[in-house]
Amino acid sequence: GQNIDQPTEMTATEGAIVQINCTYQTSGFNGLFWYQQHAGEAPTFLSYNVLDGLEEKGRFSSFLSRSKGYSYLLLKELQMKDSASYLCAVRDSDYKLSFGAGTTVTVRA
Amino acid sequence: IAGITQAPTSQILAAGRRMTLRCTQDMRHNAMYWYRQDLGLGLRLIHYSNTAGTTGKGEVPDGYSVSRANTDDFPLTLASAVPSQTSVYFCASSEGTSGANEQFFGPGTRLTVL
């Protein structure tokens, strides 16, 4: 089976930075994805990492260390609309995605 | 372009009834997936199809069946619904299964089994 851990909740102030950590133990590794999910809506794709290092996309960055089974999603210059759940997902050797339970981020004014 | 659609949006169902959740995509994606999302458990894969004509079991397949007769449609059937199948069901699709092929999700079906 797969084991993907991320914090349940995080709170931050508008304009600040928040880092969401994800650790994983999976049978094989073929990439790590981050998704954003607003309440009552479908998940939407944010980022993809398959090699070690940092991938930057505007205000969002994602980091991967395969040897440590670790990733983080960095959200900079937080805005109220960033209040959502952030899902870490790992693709295994069978090319199927396993999701963590998600981290709910609340942005306060 | 609709992307990926699901029907119904929500449904209340008596236990023991048969129910089919519909999923259609117009992106000509090869792979399609069904997930259920429950509070505190995240998204769990029920069944998947890497290409039309093939299906496979995910993490939680019991009580569910799927078919993939063509590229666009991937219905999920509950043969005899039970209360533990109360959940939000998401259908997803991706162009392929490897590389940077992200999954695109439908709007979801909220199912309540009484």
Side-chain angles (χ1 to χ4, degrees), chain A residues 35-73:
Chain A
Y35 283 82
Q36 181 190 60
Q37 186 177 24
H38 285 99
E41 297 183 7
T44 55
F45 169 76
L46 283 179
S47 69
Y48 168 72
N49 295 70
V50 67
L51 299 176
D52 290 354
L54 189 68
E55 294 283 341
E56 297 190 80
K57 258 189 183 183
R59 296 189 298 113
F60 294 0
S61 304
S62 56
F63 172 83
L64 175 67
S65 169
R66 289 171 296 171
S67 63
K68 296 181 179 177
Y70 168 70
S71 173
Y72 68 72
L73 179 70

